[in-house]
Amino acid sequence: MLYLFEIFVYNICRPVKEDITKFSDRWENFSVQEVDKRLRNFNMNDKQMKVLIKEKPYFLDHEKLAYIGRLSSRGEYEIVDKILFISQPTPAVLDQLRKNASRKAREAKKSKDWKKVISILEEYTKYADNWRNFCISLVNQAPPIHTKRDQDLIKLAKEKLAAKNN
C-alpha cells in the first residue's frame, strides 16, 4: 500500500520540466504543416512555447522554408515567428525571420506606428547578433543584415519620432 502511495505522489509531484522536455523532443518528427497547426494553439508566453524557443528542436530545410515564406507573404506573421523561433537558427532561418520582420515593419509604417517599426527591426538585429557565432560555427556564414530598404526605414522612423518629440 505504501508503495502505491509513493507512486501516486511521484506522479503528481514530479517536475513538469520532464514532461516538457519529452514534449519538445517530438517536434523534429512533425511536418511543417503539423507544426503550423500545433503552434496556432500556443501563445508566445506559454510555458511550453518558451521551452520550444529555448531548445529549438525543429530543423527547417528548403522545402519547409518555402512553406514559411508563403505564410509570411500571406501576412501570417505571428505563426511564422513562432515556427522560426523554435527552429535551429541557421542563416537561412534568420534570413526568413529578417524578411518577416521587414514585412511587419512595412505594415507598421502604413499605420505610421514609428515606434513599432523601430522595435520590429531592432528585435531582429538583436536576435541575429545573439546567434551570430552559432551561424559562423555551423556554416561559416554570419546572419543576414537588414536590406538597404529596411535600414532606410529605421532611419525614417527615428527621424519621424524625433520630429514628433520636438
Side-chain angles (χ1 to χ4, degrees):
M1 183 72 168
L2 182 60
Y3 177 73
L4 291 174
F5 179 73
E6 288 174 352
I7 292 173
F8 174 75
V9 170
Y10 173 78
N11 285 332
I12 297 222
C13 298
R14 75 175 173 227
V16 174
K17 184 174 181 357
E18 180 180 307
D19 294 332
I20 293 173
T21 302
K22 289 178 184 173
F23 165 80
S24 68
D25 288 344
R26 296 189 310 255
W27 285 79
E28 185 58 37
N29 300 325
F30 297 146
S31 70
V32 70
Q33 293 83 359
E34 182 67 20
V35 169
D36 175 357
K37 181 180 167 185
R38 288 172 182 256
L39 288 179
R40 289 185 187 268
N41 297 323
F42 290 164
N43 181 308
M44 289 294 265
N45 294 321
D46 289 343
K47 183 184 280 188
Q48 291 177 326
M49 189 67 189
K50 287 180 180 182
V51 168
L52 290 171
I53 289 170
K54 181 181 176 192
E55 294 183 1
K56 303 198 178 308
Y58 203 62
F59 180 78
L60 293 174
D61 58 23
H62 293 290
E63 182 181 303
K64 293 173 183 175
L65 279 166
Y67 177 85
I68 301 299
R70 288 190 297 275
L71 287 176
S72 181
S73 64
R74 289 195 314 243
E76 297 190 49
Y77 307 128
E78 185 179 344
I79 191 64
V80 169
D81 279 346
K82 288 177 185 178
I83 296 170
L84 293 172
F85 281 130
I86 72 160
S87 300
Q88 295 171 13
T90 62
V93 167
L94 291 172
D95 188 46
Q96 190 61 55
L97 193 60
R98 180 195 57 78
K99 291 174 187 176
N100 202 48
S102 180
R103 289 180 178 119
K104 290 190 303 187
R106 281 185 260 139
E107 289 290 322
K109 177 187 174 191
K110 289 178 186 175
S111 61
K112 299 186 188 304
D113 189 346
W114 303 113
K115 285 183 183 180
K116 189 172 182 181
V117 168
I118 294 167
S119 172
I120 290 167
L121 294 174
E122 287 183 348
E123 280 178 25
Y124 166 75
T125 302
K126 183 179 174 183
Y127 189 79
D129 286 346
N130 187 47
W131 290 103
R132 178 180 172 74
N133 291 337
F134 176 83
C135 288
I136 291 171
S137 69
L138 186 67
V139 292
N140 202 28
Q141 179 183 345
I145 61 171
H146 286 294
T147 62
K148 173 85 169 96
R149 183 178 176 187
D150 286 344
Q151 291 171 3
D152 291 344
L153 182 55
I154 292 171
K155 183 178 175 184
L156 173 67
K158 288 181 178 180
E159 289 171 358
K160 295 284 188 179
L161 278 179
K164 184 178 177 182
N165 292 332
N166 289 334

mmCIF file of all heavy atoms in Angstrom, residues 24 27-32 35 55-65 68 83-84 86-93 134 138-139:
data_model
loop_
_atom_site.group_PDB
_atom_site.id
_atom_site.type_symbol
_atom_site.label_atom_id
_atom_site.label_comp_id
_atom_site.label_asym_id
_atom_site.label_seq_id
_atom_site.Cartn_x
_atom_site.Cartn_y
_atom_site.Cartn_z
ATOM 1 N N SER A 24 9.147 18.560 -26.211
ATOM 2 C CA SER A 24 9.933 19.219 -27.252
ATOM 3 C C SER A 24 10.703 18.233 -28.113
ATOM 4 O O SER A 24 11.002 18.523 -29.264
ATOM 5 C CB SER A 24 10.888 20.250 -26.640
ATOM 6 O OG SER A 24 11.883 19.612 -25.893
ATOM 7 N N TRP A 27 9.051 17.210 -31.672
ATOM 8 C CA TRP A 27 8.766 18.173 -32.735
ATOM 9 C C TRP A 27 9.522 17.912 -34.029
ATOM 10 O O TRP A 27 9.024 18.217 -35.107
ATOM 11 C CB TRP A 27 9.018 19.591 -32.230
ATOM 12 C CG TRP A 27 7.919 20.011 -31.321
ATOM 13 C CD1 TRP A 27 7.775 19.654 -30.009
ATOM 14 C CD2 TRP A 27 6.777 20.790 -31.650
ATOM 15 N NE1 TRP A 27 6.616 20.188 -29.506
ATOM 16 C CE2 TRP A 27 5.991 20.895 -30.492
ATOM 17 C CE3 TRP A 27 6.348 21.418 -32.806
ATOM 18 C CZ2 TRP A 27 4.800 21.595 -30.461
ATOM 19 C CZ3 TRP A 27 5.167 22.131 -32.779
ATOM 20 C CH2 TRP A 27 4.409 22.204 -31.618
ATOM 21 N N GLU A 28 10.721 17.377 -33.942
ATOM 22 C CA GLU A 28 11.506 17.136 -35.155
ATOM 23 C C GLU A 28 10.805 16.167 -36.103
ATOM 24 O O GLU A 28 11.007 16.210 -37.310
ATOM 25 C CB GLU A 28 12.898 16.598 -34.779
ATOM 26 C CG GLU A 28 13.813 16.424 -35.957
ATOM 27 C CD GLU A 28 14.050 17.690 -36.764
ATOM 28 O OE1 GLU A 28 14.147 18.779 -36.185
ATOM 29 O OE2 GLU A 28 14.136 17.576 -38.006
ATOM 30 N N ASN A 29 9.947 15.315 -35.579
ATOM 31 C CA ASN A 29 9.252 14.329 -36.407
ATOM 32 C C ASN A 29 8.048 14.888 -37.150
ATOM 33 O O ASN A 29 7.491 14.219 -38.009
ATOM 34 C CB ASN A 29 8.802 13.150 -35.534
ATOM 35 C CG ASN A 29 9.962 12.469 -34.863
ATOM 36 O OD1 ASN A 29 11.042 12.368 -35.430
ATOM 37 N ND2 ASN A 29 9.763 12.020 -33.646
ATOM 38 N N PHE A 30 7.632 16.101 -36.825
ATOM 39 C CA PHE A 30 6.424 16.673 -37.430
ATOM 40 C C PHE A 30 6.729 17.353 -38.763
ATOM 41 O O PHE A 30 7.785 17.954 -38.940
ATOM 42 C CB PHE A 30 5.784 17.708 -36.499
ATOM 43 C CG PHE A 30 5.301 17.168 -35.195
ATOM 44 C CD1 PHE A 30 5.366 17.946 -34.057
ATOM 45 C CD2 PHE A 30 4.772 15.885 -35.067
ATOM 46 C CE1 PHE A 30 4.914 17.473 -32.836
ATOM 47 C CE2 PHE A 30 4.320 15.404 -33.852
ATOM 48 C CZ PHE A 30 4.390 16.211 -32.732
ATOM 49 N N SER A 31 5.763 17.285 -39.666
ATOM 50 C CA SER A 31 5.855 18.068 -40.901
ATOM 51 C C SER A 31 5.670 19.533 -40.538
ATOM 52 O O SER A 31 5.149 19.866 -39.472
ATOM 53 C CB SER A 31 4.766 17.635 -41.889
ATOM 54 O OG SER A 31 3.496 18.044 -41.399
ATOM 55 N N VAL A 32 6.056 20.417 -41.430
ATOM 56 C CA VAL A 32 5.908 21.849 -41.151
ATOM 57 C C VAL A 32 4.423 22.219 -41.052
ATOM 58 O O VAL A 32 4.039 23.097 -40.279
ATOM 59 C CB VAL A 32 6.665 22.712 -42.184
ATOM 60 C CG1 VAL A 32 6.004 22.670 -43.547
ATOM 61 C CG2 VAL A 32 6.801 24.148 -41.695
ATOM 62 N N VAL A 35 3.433 21.279 -37.520
ATOM 63 C CA VAL A 35 3.984 22.270 -36.585
ATOM 64 C C VAL A 35 3.134 23.543 -36.641
ATOM 65 O O VAL A 35 2.776 24.105 -35.605
ATOM 66 C CB VAL A 35 5.458 22.570 -36.913
ATOM 67 C CG1 VAL A 35 5.965 23.780 -36.138
ATOM 68 C CG2 VAL A 35 6.315 21.348 -36.613
ATOM 69 N N GLU A 55 14.912 25.510 -26.571
ATOM 70 C CA GLU A 55 15.559 24.280 -27.041
ATOM 71 C C GLU A 55 15.713 24.204 -28.556
ATOM 72 O O GLU A 55 16.550 23.463 -29.053
ATOM 73 C CB GLU A 55 14.790 23.067 -26.525
ATOM 74 C CG GLU A 55 14.875 22.946 -25.027
ATOM 75 C CD GLU A 55 14.178 21.716 -24.477
ATOM 76 O OE1 GLU A 55 13.625 20.919 -25.269
ATOM 77 O OE2 GLU A 55 14.194 21.560 -23.253
ATOM 78 N N LYS A 56 14.897 24.927 -29.292
ATOM 79 C CA LYS A 56 14.954 24.964 -30.760
ATOM 80 C C LYS A 56 15.028 23.565 -31.375
ATOM 81 O O LYS A 56 15.993 23.200 -32.029
ATOM 82 C CB LYS A 56 16.116 25.823 -31.210
ATOM 83 C CG LYS A 56 16.008 27.226 -30.647
ATOM 84 C CD LYS A 56 16.841 28.198 -31.357
ATOM 85 C CE LYS A 56 16.677 29.586 -30.803
ATOM 86 N NZ LYS A 56 15.336 30.086 -30.689
ATOM 87 N N PRO A 57 13.982 22.762 -31.171
ATOM 88 C CA PRO A 57 14.037 21.360 -31.590
ATOM 89 C C PRO A 57 13.739 21.122 -33.072
ATOM 90 O O PRO A 57 13.808 19.990 -33.528
ATOM 91 C CB PRO A 57 12.938 20.712 -30.739
ATOM 92 C CG PRO A 57 11.921 21.792 -30.599
ATOM 93 C CD PRO A 57 12.731 23.065 -30.469
ATOM 94 N N TYR A 58 13.434 22.151 -33.819
ATOM 95 C CA TYR A 58 12.952 21.941 -35.184
ATOM 96 C C TYR A 58 13.986 22.406 -36.198
ATOM 97 O O TYR A 58 14.601 23.458 -36.043
ATOM 98 C CB TYR A 58 11.633 22.699 -35.377
ATOM 99 C CG TYR A 58 10.792 22.150 -36.493
ATOM 100 C CD1 TYR A 58 10.315 20.845 -36.455
ATOM 101 C CD2 TYR A 58 10.474 22.935 -37.583
ATOM 102 C CE1 TYR A 58 9.553 20.338 -37.485
ATOM 103 C CE2 TYR A 58 9.705 22.435 -38.617
ATOM 104 C CZ TYR A 58 9.248 21.142 -38.572
ATOM 105 O OH TYR A 58 8.494 20.630 -39.592
ATOM 106 N N PHE A 59 14.165 21.615 -37.249
ATOM 107 C CA PHE A 59 15.082 21.990 -38.328
ATOM 108 C C PHE A 59 14.276 22.283 -39.575
ATOM 109 O O PHE A 59 13.432 21.482 -39.996
ATOM 110 C CB PHE A 59 16.085 20.862 -38.618
ATOM 111 C CG PHE A 59 17.038 21.217 -39.714
ATOM 112 C CD1 PHE A 59 18.106 22.064 -39.468
ATOM 113 C CD2 PHE A 59 16.842 20.743 -41.000
ATOM 114 C CE1 PHE A 59 18.979 22.425 -40.489
ATOM 115 C CE2 PHE A 59 17.706 21.091 -42.026
ATOM 116 C CZ PHE A 59 18.778 21.937 -41.759
ATOM 117 N N LEU A 60 14.527 23.445 -40.172
ATOM 118 C CA LEU A 60 13.820 23.834 -41.396
ATOM 119 C C LEU A 60 14.731 23.626 -42.598
ATOM 120 O O LEU A 60 15.756 24.288 -42.728
ATOM 121 C CB LEU A 60 13.394 25.301 -41.325
ATOM 122 C CG LEU A 60 12.329 25.652 -40.294
ATOM 123 C CD1 LEU A 60 12.102 27.158 -40.234
ATOM 124 C CD2 LEU A 60 11.030 24.937 -40.610
ATOM 125 N N ASP A 61 14.334 22.711 -43.479
ATOM 126 C CA ASP A 61 15.065 22.533 -44.732
ATOM 127 C C ASP A 61 14.467 23.487 -45.771
ATOM 128 O O ASP A 61 13.577 24.286 -45.471
ATOM 129 C CB ASP A 61 15.015 21.076 -45.192
ATOM 130 C CG ASP A 61 13.590 20.562 -45.375
ATOM 131 O OD1 ASP A 61 12.656 21.364 -45.586
ATOM 132 O OD2 ASP A 61 13.404 19.333 -45.311
ATOM 133 N N HIS A 62 14.931 23.412 -47.008
ATOM 134 C CA HIS A 62 14.483 24.346 -48.046
ATOM 135 C C HIS A 62 12.980 24.253 -48.318
ATOM 136 O O HIS A 62 12.310 25.269 -48.507
ATOM 137 C CB HIS A 62 15.268 24.121 -49.348
ATOM 138 C CG HIS A 62 16.702 24.489 -49.212
ATOM 139 N ND1 HIS A 62 17.138 25.783 -49.091
ATOM 140 C CD2 HIS A 62 17.817 23.717 -49.160
ATOM 141 C CE1 HIS A 62 18.453 25.808 -48.971
ATOM 142 N NE2 HIS A 62 18.886 24.558 -49.005
ATOM 143 N N GLU A 63 12.454 23.050 -48.311
ATOM 144 C CA GLU A 63 11.023 22.863 -48.561
ATOM 145 C C GLU A 63 10.183 23.506 -47.449
ATOM 146 O O GLU A 63 9.191 24.181 -47.714
ATOM 147 C CB GLU A 63 10.721 21.365 -48.647
ATOM 148 C CG GLU A 63 9.271 21.038 -48.961
ATOM 149 C CD GLU A 63 9.037 19.538 -49.002
ATOM 150 O OE1 GLU A 63 9.719 18.850 -49.789
ATOM 151 O OE2 GLU A 63 8.169 19.077 -48.240
ATOM 152 N N LYS A 64 10.601 23.297 -46.219
ATOM 153 C CA LYS A 64 9.879 23.880 -45.074
ATOM 154 C C LYS A 64 10.007 25.399 -45.073
ATOM 155 O O LYS A 64 9.050 26.115 -44.772
ATOM 156 C CB LYS A 64 10.400 23.298 -43.764
ATOM 157 C CG LYS A 64 10.079 21.824 -43.596
ATOM 158 C CD LYS A 64 10.757 21.249 -42.358
ATOM 159 C CE LYS A 64 10.495 19.760 -42.223
ATOM 160 N NZ LYS A 64 11.242 19.173 -41.097
ATOM 161 N N LEU A 65 11.189 25.901 -45.435
ATOM 162 C CA LEU A 65 11.371 27.355 -45.503
ATOM 163 C C LEU A 65 10.498 27.979 -46.588
ATOM 164 O O LEU A 65 9.988 29.094 -46.417
ATOM 165 C CB LEU A 65 12.842 27.701 -45.741
ATOM 166 C CG LEU A 65 13.724 27.671 -44.502
ATOM 167 C CD1 LEU A 65 15.191 27.696 -44.882
ATOM 168 C CD2 LEU A 65 13.385 28.814 -43.568
ATOM 169 N N ILE A 68 7.142 28.392 -45.113
ATOM 170 C CA ILE A 68 7.175 29.531 -44.185
ATOM 171 C C ILE A 68 7.117 30.839 -44.963
ATOM 172 O O ILE A 68 6.405 31.780 -44.584
ATOM 173 C CB ILE A 68 8.449 29.496 -43.311
ATOM 174 C CG1 ILE A 68 8.543 28.216 -42.506
ATOM 175 C CG2 ILE A 68 8.551 30.715 -42.414
ATOM 176 C CD1 ILE A 68 7.424 27.995 -41.546
ATOM 177 N N ILE A 83 7.130 29.546 -35.617
ATOM 178 C CA ILE A 83 7.865 28.430 -36.233
ATOM 179 C C ILE A 83 9.355 28.744 -36.320
ATOM 180 O O ILE A 83 10.197 27.905 -36.004
ATOM 181 C CB ILE A 83 7.287 28.081 -37.621
ATOM 182 C CG1 ILE A 83 5.851 27.570 -37.490
ATOM 183 C CG2 ILE A 83 8.166 27.045 -38.321
ATOM 184 C CD1 ILE A 83 5.109 27.415 -38.810
ATOM 185 N N LEU A 84 9.681 29.968 -36.714
ATOM 186 C CA LEU A 84 11.091 30.330 -36.843
ATOM 187 C C LEU A 84 11.804 30.366 -35.490
ATOM 188 O O LEU A 84 12.959 29.954 -35.386
ATOM 189 C CB LEU A 84 11.228 31.674 -37.556
ATOM 190 C CG LEU A 84 10.802 31.671 -39.027
ATOM 191 C CD1 LEU A 84 10.794 33.088 -39.584
ATOM 192 C CD2 LEU A 84 11.693 30.767 -39.864
ATOM 193 N N ILE A 86 11.243 28.510 -32.900
ATOM 194 C CA ILE A 86 11.507 27.169 -32.351
ATOM 195 C C ILE A 86 12.469 26.386 -33.241
ATOM 196 O O ILE A 86 12.812 25.257 -32.937
ATOM 197 C CB ILE A 86 10.216 26.349 -32.120
ATOM 198 C CG1 ILE A 86 9.594 25.894 -33.434
ATOM 199 C CG2 ILE A 86 9.247 27.090 -31.241
ATOM 200 C CD1 ILE A 86 8.652 24.718 -33.265
ATOM 201 N N SER A 87 12.902 26.997 -34.320
ATOM 202 C CA SER A 87 13.780 26.317 -35.284
ATOM 203 C C SER A 87 15.238 26.637 -35.008
ATOM 204 O O SER A 87 15.578 27.695 -34.478
ATOM 205 C CB SER A 87 13.429 26.751 -36.705
ATOM 206 O OG SER A 87 12.098 26.414 -36.992
ATOM 207 N N GLN A 88 16.095 25.704 -35.410
ATOM 208 C CA GLN A 88 17.530 25.924 -35.271
ATOM 209 C C GLN A 88 17.904 27.157 -36.087
ATOM 210 O O GLN A 88 17.541 27.269 -37.259
ATOM 211 C CB GLN A 88 18.287 24.697 -35.746
ATOM 212 C CG GLN A 88 18.016 23.487 -34.890
ATOM 213 C CD GLN A 88 18.585 22.211 -35.464
ATOM 214 O OE1 GLN A 88 19.394 22.221 -36.378
ATOM 215 N NE2 GLN A 88 18.144 21.094 -34.923
ATOM 216 N N PRO A 89 18.614 28.107 -35.470
ATOM 217 C CA PRO A 89 18.864 29.408 -36.102
ATOM 218 C C PRO A 89 19.981 29.386 -37.142
ATOM 219 O O PRO A 89 21.038 29.982 -36.964
ATOM 220 C CB PRO A 89 19.209 30.303 -34.912
ATOM 221 C CG PRO A 89 19.831 29.367 -33.933
ATOM 222 C CD PRO A 89 19.111 28.059 -34.099
ATOM 223 N N THR A 90 19.727 28.738 -38.248
ATOM 224 C CA THR A 90 20.680 28.745 -39.352
ATOM 225 C C THR A 90 20.575 30.094 -40.064
ATOM 226 O O THR A 90 19.593 30.819 -39.894
ATOM 227 C CB THR A 90 20.349 27.618 -40.349
ATOM 228 O OG1 THR A 90 19.048 27.868 -40.896
ATOM 229 C CG2 THR A 90 20.390 26.250 -39.680
ATOM 230 N N PRO A 91 21.553 30.451 -40.898
ATOM 231 C CA PRO A 91 21.439 31.705 -41.644
ATOM 232 C C PRO A 91 20.167 31.767 -42.499
ATOM 233 O O PRO A 91 19.557 32.843 -42.631
ATOM 234 C CB PRO A 91 22.697 31.718 -42.512
ATOM 235 C CG PRO A 91 23.700 30.954 -41.708
ATOM 236 C CD PRO A 91 22.891 29.852 -41.065
ATOM 237 N N ALA A 92 19.737 30.652 -43.053
ATOM 238 C CA ALA A 92 18.511 30.642 -43.861
ATOM 239 C C ALA A 92 17.279 30.942 -43.007
ATOM 240 O O ALA A 92 16.380 31.676 -43.422
ATOM 241 C CB ALA A 92 18.346 29.299 -44.570
ATOM 242 N N VAL A 93 17.230 30.387 -41.809
ATOM 243 C CA VAL A 93 16.121 30.659 -40.889
ATOM 244 C C VAL A 93 16.146 32.128 -40.483
ATOM 245 O O VAL A 93 15.114 32.805 -40.466
ATOM 246 C CB VAL A 93 16.179 29.728 -39.660
ATOM 247 C CG1 VAL A 93 15.236 30.198 -38.564
ATOM 248 C CG2 VAL A 93 15.846 28.305 -40.074
ATOM 249 N N PHE A 134 26.906 31.162 -33.536
ATOM 250 C CA PHE A 134 26.350 29.853 -33.879
ATOM 251 C C PHE A 134 26.351 29.662 -35.398
ATOM 252 O O PHE A 134 26.769 28.616 -35.901
ATOM 253 C CB PHE A 134 24.929 29.723 -33.320
ATOM 254 C CG PHE A 134 24.242 28.443 -33.702
ATOM 255 C CD1 PHE A 134 24.468 27.273 -32.996
ATOM 256 C CD2 PHE A 134 23.367 28.411 -34.782
ATOM 257 C CE1 PHE A 134 23.836 26.091 -33.350
ATOM 258 C CE2 PHE A 134 22.727 27.228 -35.147
ATOM 259 C CZ PHE A 134 22.968 26.067 -34.431
ATOM 260 N N LEU A 138 28.491 27.005 -37.543
ATOM 261 C CA LEU A 138 27.727 25.977 -38.246
ATOM 262 C C LEU A 138 28.055 25.928 -39.736
ATOM 263 O O LEU A 138 28.348 24.870 -40.280
ATOM 264 C CB LEU A 138 26.224 26.216 -38.050
ATOM 265 C CG LEU A 138 25.275 25.174 -38.603
ATOM 266 C CD1 LEU A 138 25.423 23.860 -37.841
ATOM 267 C CD2 LEU A 138 23.841 25.672 -38.503
ATOM 268 N N VAL A 139 27.998 27.080 -40.390
ATOM 269 C CA VAL A 139 28.173 27.103 -41.849
ATOM 270 C C VAL A 139 29.149 28.178 -42.332
ATOM 271 O O VAL A 139 29.193 28.496 -43.514
ATOM 272 C CB VAL A 139 26.818 27.291 -42.576
ATOM 273 C CG1 VAL A 139 25.939 26.078 -42.407
ATOM 274 C CG2 VAL A 139 26.121 28.553 -42.125
#
